[in-house]
Amino acid sequence: MRPLFMSTALALSLIAAPAFAEESHDAKPPAGEVAHKKGEKREARMVERMKKQGLTEAKAKRVVTTIKKYRGELRVINQERKSHRVALKKDPNDAKAKKGLADARSRVQAVRGRQKAEIAKFLTAAEQAKVEKIIRRGPRAGKGGKQNKKQSA
């Protein structure tokens, strides 16, 4: 009796194994793929906002391409700024961190100036103002955002 039970159990487990081994549809995609999709969504939203403001799709895409061109450079500078802020949090009198933070601020301004100059080559002054408003949306609701600023003022 026991060998019959064991062989039946073995046969059923072999039949059921492929059903459990199937790849889950809820499996998460690789991290790089998710980040890539987020970037595409962000760019599409920005193009849509610019189109709502009256820019043509071609100009909006050109602006987004220009912004994307400088994003990597700004990311590196902002990482440096973050490390300097952490150092200043540990030691508020750290002169090297203060100088590094000031230097990083000026580098960000320089990069944004180059970015703005490149955008100015193909947009009118009115379009530039609209794009600048979209790019620098300002504080949002939440911690330190619009709601808290109104309450403290």
Side-chain angles (χ1 to χ4, degrees), residues 90-131:
K90 289 179 183 176
D91 180 17
N93 298 322
D94 188 353
K96 185 178 177 184
K98 285 180 183 179
K99 185 181 181 321
L101 196 56
D103 178 50
R105 256 188 232 119
S106 63
R107 287 175 34 215
V108 165
Q109 287 175 347
V111 170
R112 287 202 175 131
R114 290 196 321 259
Q115 182 182 36
K116 197 173 181 178
E118 190 170 328
I119 290 172
K121 290 178 183 175
F122 56 88
L123 293 181
T124 66
E127 289 172 334
Q128 288 176 42
K130 290 175 184 177
V131 167

Side-chain angles (χ1 to χ4, degrees), residues 11-29:
L12 289 174
S13 67
L14 291 175
I15 293 170
F20 292 114
E22 279 186 35
E23 193 173 309
S24 172
H25 295 290
D26 298 334
K28 293 183 179 179

